[in-house]
Amino acid sequence: MRVVSSGIRLDEDSGYESDDALLELDGVTKYFNQDSGLLAGMEFEPSQFPPISVDRETVKAVDDVTLEIQPGETLGLVGESGCGKSTLGRTILRLLEPTEGDIYFKGENLADLSGERLRQTRSDMQMIFQDPQSSLDPRMKVGQIIEEPMRAHDMLDDEGREARAKELLEKVGLDPRHYNRHPHAFSGGQRQRINLARALSVDPDFVVCDEPVSALDVSIQAQVLNTMEKLQEEFGLTYLFIAHDLSVIRHISDRVAVMYLGNIVELAEKEELFENPQHPYTRALLESIPVPDPRENGARGVLEGEVPSPVDPPSGCRFRTRCPRVIAPDAYDWRGEEWAQTRAFMRAVKRRTFEPMPASRIETEFFDGDLPRGEAGSTVDEAIELIASDRNADIDADDETEHWSAATDLLLESFAEQSICARERPAYELEAEYGDGEHLAACHLHR
Amino acid sequence: MSSEPLLRVENLKTQFFTETGTVRAVDGISFEVREGEIVGLVGESGAGKSVASMSLLRLVENPGEIVAGEITYKGETIFGLEEGPDGELQERDDMLSNEEIRTRIRGNEIAVIFQDPMESLNPVFTVGGQLREFIELNRGLSKDEAKTEAIDMLREVGIPDPEERYEEYPHQFSGGMRQRVLIAMALACEPSLIIADEPTTALDVTVEGQILDLVDDLQDKYGTSFIWVTHDMGVVAEICDRVNVMYLGEIVEQAPVDELFYDTKHPYTNALLNSIPRPDRTVTELEAIEGVMPEAINPPSGCRFHPRCPDAREVCKRVHPEAKTVADADGEAHRAACVKHDAFDAGYEDSSMLEGAVGSTEREPESELAVNPAGDDSGGEGRE
């Protein structure tokens, strides 16, 4: 049982005083079964015996993530929707059971904890959700909402809880007199402050903030961000700050991890990551944010295509299917622009971005009329034969589709799959140019 | 500049008559859109951006109503009022009928792209079918011709393998792809003006980049004008030519994009720019705007921004500033609605500082006497 201390911190000693990381993830992996239910994934195939097979597809939401979070820091976790950042946040809190890997909090392996011990540890780890509307029970009063976690963890007595709730309301920038109001009486920004107060009520050391400001207006965003920073200092909090907005991440983080399709592709201190990005995906992300400055007319680095399905992610580097800098396969002898042209052609065929046209036009359009030499050239030629309109004059639509996919397979097998990017999963540690922290980049360009 | 603009909006007022009172969602805004330009309509949620843009197509529904103002598009009156014989305001004779608006203007002349592509597409019809029907009805083409046209449009907006995807349903498209379909739909009738209501807000940054690029390309090709409704200053800087900043139903600043960012004339715009974190540099301290935007049902007296304004003085509580030209930017007017500029001559300099204005919650009751000193619109240099 804890004792009330004079300050807002319930227990001055609860702070983590070690030099070690507050939180360590080691190869954390989370797969989801795509279907649930008794008959899910069952397939009926009359041609074989037994005629029923079970084929469960798994969504590889988070795959082998290793990182550390130091006490008192803010680690920004950024990525596009569907990259697994929220899943990672929930897995850390063990709201989701990790499929594989270990999570150490204050040196203790969370996977070994269960029941009462896990519940107690949870008072040290809290979460703030994106939607300030749906994360508050509309039928409860603000005071009850903030006191609920304390009651769940059996902290303080009724009076103590009320006093603390009022104190917290003031700390997060709300009027303590609003203790008896319902959430609907508050604006979005104020509701997010109530969420903050609730998370802080049990005096946690670590807070996972899942897109806490993305639902708020810009001017309100700044207020909430400032409050979060103030509270971090006052309470000695450690944040895992999940967001898709790089500007917000740049403002609030100490270190930043960039996530793509379940993997961390780059991890570095904030200045280093924004000023000296080393992964092509990070670069593309940074280039595509619109800068609020009309004189900044840098070319928009636009990524081709879309994020592949996490059910069947690309081998090796997961970004390779969209990467503008995929490494040329060593098996061929490339000259000048040949690899760049072949790569562009390969992706155009795969995505079918052009209409069937005569072979000669394909050659001019993609290769300036000059096919690559040697083996590479003959493979390209073979692919062109399959799709050129003058070679396949009278085939119907189904056959045409088949030809295109044959050409796609041929090109992918001969080129994309041969590249080191497809064969090995990259992970490299680099020298940081800004600051002295470590800089991890998962890209073979740094081999 | 002398030529007639494509669209001119003058003193537009749209109000919602609710049980708790009249919500003055759009309260006397004026702006114009010229051929081939992208005009930004910027503001926080609740500023009246969407209501303003929907008013342009007379798509405001009960209990909302356009109560005043004039909207002229290519010389035709989309909305206009005049005083009738009994002194009541009535719709002018030359105002287009609902029928004409529906058949000639919406879709054909002015198209809209909405924020949420999932809600704009019908989930039980194929994407291609919806696009085809739209083209068929609006352009009077036969079914087959419309289908060819639809496939062409899908290809035009960068949807790979359009013949295959023509047969697919909206849920089989990703968010970015669905937004492309809506752009295709908007472009299908080659309108002269497209109203884009936060079209990239729901999208990821890399997809947003792709869509902005697409809009750039298409605008070069078709010369379409855009009204771009957004809250994102980054997007504004990237694509807009001229910008209108809205606050609580009013346009508080109107300027070419470069002037807006580099020679900001209204404290609200300034505060907005200072409150956003930057992707291109590290900002250690964010200057948040105090308080929240009041509700349009009972706006503050005088300047509507004064309770949150860092520059507010006593006069701001009394005087309601109408936007005036405060500077000249290469022949373009730079208008702002703030009495601190000389053009207003409201005695701002001599007025006393407002005690506890910033962050204070108390508000004066709505004043009927909006002092509006006569000052000439043409003169007046910007107070630097």
Side-chain angles (χ1 to χ4, degrees):
Chain A
M1 190 70 199
R2 292 185 174 175
V3 198
V4 196
S5 63
S6 54
I8 191 77
R9 299 233 43 173
L10 281 176
D11 179 358
E12 293 296 339
D13 304 328
S14 73
Y16 186 60
E17 297 294 342
S18 164
D19 289 339
D20 294 337
L22 179 72
L23 184 83
E24 263 184 271
L25 306 187
D26 185 16
V28 171
T29 299
K30 176 69 195 172
Y31 292 170
F32 290 101
N33 284 330
Q34 206 167 21
D35 311 294
S36 53
L38 190 60
L39 300 172
M42 226 175 241
E43 265 169 52
F44 181 71
E45 283 166 63
S47 58
Q48 60 184 43
F49 186 84
I52 289 172
S53 67
V54 179
D55 175 30
R56 283 190 190 274
E57 281 190 329
T58 52
V59 175
K60 301 177 175 65
V62 174
D63 210 355
D64 196 11
V65 168
T66 300
L67 54 82
E68 290 181 354
I69 302 178
Q70 303 298 330
E73 79 167 346
T74 302
L75 179 75
L77 184 61
V78 71
E80 292 176 273
S81 45
C83 74
K85 37 186 204 312
S86 294
T87 307
L88 182 60
R90 281 158 200 252
T91 312
I92 290 174
L93 296 183
R94 275 203 57 198
L95 295 174
L96 294 169
E97 212 55 42
T99 311
E100 248 174 76
D102 296 307
I103 303 164
Y104 299 91
F105 182 72
K106 293 184 179 174
E108 253 181 309
N109 192 342
L110 288 186
D112 294 342
L113 300 181
S114 58
E116 188 53 27
R117 284 292 306 281
L118 177 64
R119 212 177 67 84
Q120 278 175 8
T121 313
R122 281 218 175 111
S123 74
D124 280 342
M125 309 163 84
Q126 287 292 314
M127 184 154 185
I128 296 167
F129 298 91
Q130 171 171 7
D131 186 351
Q133 169 72 52
S134 60
S135 48
L136 298 175
D137 186 337
R139 291 183 303 178
M140 282 168 87
K141 288 177 178 167
V142 168
Q144 289 174 294
I145 290 176
I146 297 172
E147 286 169 21
E148 200 180 23
M150 291 191 266
R151 204 171 299 130
H153 287 286
D154 218 3
M155 289 160 62
L156 306 172
D157 50 17
D158 282 356
E159 268 168 44
R161 284 197 284 260
E162 182 172 338
R164 183 170 169 80
K166 286 184 171 165
E167 198 174 354
L168 281 164
L169 277 173
E170 202 167 348
K171 290 282 174 204
V172 298
L174 294 172
D175 192 336
R177 283 172 299 179
H178 294 167
Y179 178 83
N180 274 325
R181 290 202 186 173
H182 286 277
H184 71 85
F186 294 87
S187 69
Q190 290 172 325
R191 284 195 202 123
Q192 205 55 296
R193 290 171 190 272
I194 298 172
N195 272 318
L196 269 169
R198 175 174 61 183
L200 296 183
S201 65
V202 288
D203 193 18
D205 291 314
F206 177 65
V207 183
V208 174
C209 316
D210 191 356
E211 304 260 15
V213 295
S214 55
L216 307 177
D217 260 322
V218 274
S219 70
I220 310 300
Q221 235 179 43
Q223 295 172 358
V224 173
L225 286 174
N226 284 345
T227 305
M228 288 183 71
E229 284 184 311
K230 200 190 81 199
L231 293 171
Q232 177 171 38
E233 213 166 283
E234 195 172 330
F235 287 64
L237 298 171
T238 306
Y239 287 140
L240 174 68
F241 197 99
I242 301 173
H244 68 279
D245 185 334
L246 284 147
S247 323
V248 171
I249 287 282
R250 179 165 195 165
H251 172 69
I252 199 147
S253 310
D254 298 310
R255 288 191 306 141
V256 181
V258 181
M259 221 171 155
Y260 182 79
L261 211 54
N263 287 159
I264 302 271
V265 294
E266 191 161 5
L267 175 70
E269 280 182 8
K270 167 172 72 177
E271 281 305 311
E272 168 77 3
L273 189 106
F274 278 87
E275 294 300 329
N276 183 28
Q278 288 302 322
H279 196 284
Y281 177 64
T282 314
R283 287 192 186 169
L285 264 187
L286 290 175
E287 281 166 10
S288 49
I289 343 169
V291 179
D293 181 351
R295 293 187 190 169
E296 179 104 6
N297 270 329
R300 219 175 280 140
V302 168
L303 276 182
E304 294 169 15
E306 301 186 334
V307 187
S309 158
V311 173
D312 184 24
S315 62
C317 170
R318 293 194 167 175
F319 185 55
R320 70 179 166 88
T321 50
R322 299 169 80 198
C323 182
R325 298 181 66 190
V326 175
I327 297 163
D330 299 329
Y332 307 94
D333 178 20
W334 303 99
R335 266 184 324 174
E337 288 294 290
E338 284 177 356
W339 167 237
Q341 291 168 341
T342 310
R343 187 175 58 204
F345 176 63
M346 179 172 78
R347 287 188 181 156
V349 173
K350 185 178 161 212
R351 301 186 56 224
R352 264 189 102 165
T353 50
F354 62 98
E355 282 308 285
M357 46 174 127
S360 55
R361 258 196 68 202
I362 297 182
E363 280 170 33
T364 15
E365 196 134 309
F366 288 94
F367 298 95
D368 292 331
D370 242 351
L371 290 187
R373 292 170 315 154
E375 212 185 319
S378 41
T379 312
V380 170
D381 196 45
E382 213 177 304
I384 293 177
E385 289 290 316
L386 279 167
I387 53 171
S389 58
D390 49 348
R391 309 290 148 90
N392 307 288
D394 34 46
I395 55 170
D396 62 25
D398 284 347
D399 280 347
E400 193 184 306
T401 311
E402 226 163 79
H403 279 222
W404 277 81
S405 54
T408 309
D409 290 347
L410 174 71
L411 288 168
L412 289 182
E413 264 164 41
S414 328
F415 300 118
E417 306 292 339
Q418 300 303 316
S419 165
I420 182 169
C421 299
R423 283 183 286 122
E424 278 174 43
R425 194 174 151 201
Y428 301 93
E429 194 162 327
L430 313 173
E431 291 276 307
E433 259 182 51
Y434 298 79
D436 45 11
E438 55 175 2
H439 186 162
L440 300 169
C443 178
H444 284 301
L445 287 170
H446 302 288
R447 73 199 140 137
Chain B
M1 255 214 90
S2 55
S3 66
E4 182 71 2
L6 187 68
L7 176 86
R8 184 163 44 213
V9 179
E10 272 173 87
N11 197 27
L12 176 73
K13 289 187 183 178
T14 306
Q15 304 185 342
F16 289 83
F17 300 96
T18 65
E19 277 174 22
T20 42
T22 307
V23 179
R24 290 149 68 176
V26 174
D27 209 14
I29 62 167
S30 308
F31 67 96
E32 50 190 48
V33 182
R34 303 187 199 118
E35 296 269 352
E37 71 172 354
I38 300 184
V39 174
L41 209 53
V42 196
E44 296 175 72
S45 41
K49 317 180 292 280
S50 293
V51 176
S53 53
M54 287 308 103
S55 302
L56 301 182
L57 282 173
R58 302 216 325 238
L59 281 173
V60 180
E61 280 182 7
N62 217 353
E65 199 184 315
I66 307 177
V67 294
E70 190 173 334
I71 306 168
T72 320
Y73 172 79
K74 283 188 176 168
E76 291 188 281
T77 309
I78 288 184
F79 187 83
L81 294 175
E82 63 183 359
E83 208 160 285
D86 49 354
E88 288 277 297
L89 286 176
Q90 63 178 42
E91 291 174 355
R92 280 207 322 246
D93 288 343
D94 58 342
M95 191 170 116
L96 294 174
S97 68
N98 283 339
E99 170 81 22
E100 280 172 310
I101 287 272
R102 202 165 57 231
T103 55
R104 280 200 311 147
I105 302 293
R106 287 184 203 146
N108 282 319
E109 287 291 343
I110 306 178
V112 193
I113 305 171
F114 292 99
Q115 173 172 1
D116 187 340
M118 196 62 214
E119 281 180 17
S120 314
L121 292 170
N122 190 331
V124 300
F125 292 104
T126 62
V127 166
Q130 294 180 55
L131 186 53
R132 195 209 68 230
E133 185 187 19
F134 180 81
I135 295 172
E136 220 178 297
L137 288 174
N138 279 303
R139 289 174 54 183
L141 295 177
S142 76
K143 204 169 173 178
D144 285 347
E145 283 169 325
K147 180 175 177 180
T148 323
E149 187 67 31
I151 291 176
D152 280 349
M153 283 320 297
L154 288 176
R155 186 175 301 117
E156 181 80 31
V157 294
I159 290 186
D161 203 1
E163 273 122 359
E164 291 263 317
R165 311 231 50 179
Y166 181 89
E167 303 291 345
E168 288 181 7
Y169 289 87
H171 74 266
Q172 290 166 294
F173 281 59
S174 69
M177 284 293 162
R178 285 198 284 261
Q179 202 54 278
R180 283 170 195 266
V181 172
L182 289 194
I183 293 176
M185 217 175 245
L187 281 171
C189 299
E190 303 194 1
S192 308
L193 176 66
I194 293 180
I195 300 171
D197 190 356
E198 305 247 14
T200 60
T201 306
L203 306 175
D204 271 320
V205 271
T206 57
V207 184
E208 179 177 50
Q210 290 172 355
I211 299 284
L212 294 182
D213 256 16
L214 174 70
V215 168
D216 263 355
D217 291 347
L218 294 172
Q219 209 212 359
D220 281 349
K221 193 167 166 191
Y222 295 98
T224 319
S225 304
F226 279 87
I227 295 177
W228 202 277
V229 180
T230 182
H231 68 274
D232 187 336
M233 282 303 205
V235 174
V236 169
E238 198 106 338
I239 61 164
C240 292
D241 300 309
R242 290 186 309 122
V243 189
N244 301 299
V245 182
M246 283 190 78
Y247 185 79
L248 210 53
E250 298 180 320
I251 291 181
V252 294
E253 186 163 4
Q254 195 166 47
V257 67
D258 196 76
E259 274 71 21
L260 187 86
F261 281 81
Y262 282 95
D263 189 15
T264 316
K265 295 289 189 200
H266 197 282
Y268 173 64
T269 319
N270 207 13
L272 205 56
L273 287 172
N274 285 336
S275 70
I276 43 175
R278 307 273 305 208
D280 53 339
R281 59 179 119 101
T282 303
V283 185
T284 36
E285 191 67 37
L286 288 181
E287 294 172 35
I289 309 179
E290 298 284 326
V292 288
M293 189 157 69
E295 282 179 37
I297 203 161
N298 181 21
S301 65
C303 170
R304 293 189 173 179
F305 185 56
H306 85 258
R308 301 173 76 192
C309 181
D311 298 345
R313 299 204 179 168
E314 193 272 326
V315 62
C316 302
K317 271 166 102 170
R318 289 184 286 112
V319 180
H320 179 82
E322 296 285 334
K324 281 185 212 261
T325 306
V326 293
D328 187 76
D330 299 326
E332 290 275 359
H334 186 154
R335 294 157 67 84
C338 178
V339 293
K340 73 175 185 175
H341 296 290
D342 290 347
F344 286 88
D345 196 19
Y348 175 80
E349 289 296 323
D350 307 325
S351 182
S352 59
M353 296 299 276
L354 219 47
E355 274 300 311
V358 169
S360 87
T361 45
E362 59 177 17
R363 203 181 298 145
E364 296 281 297
E366 174 74 80
S367 157
E368 284 293 309
L369 307 162
V371 188
N372 203 359
D376 56 344
D377 259 35
S378 53
E381 293 153 16
R383 200 183 67 95
E384 279 299 283

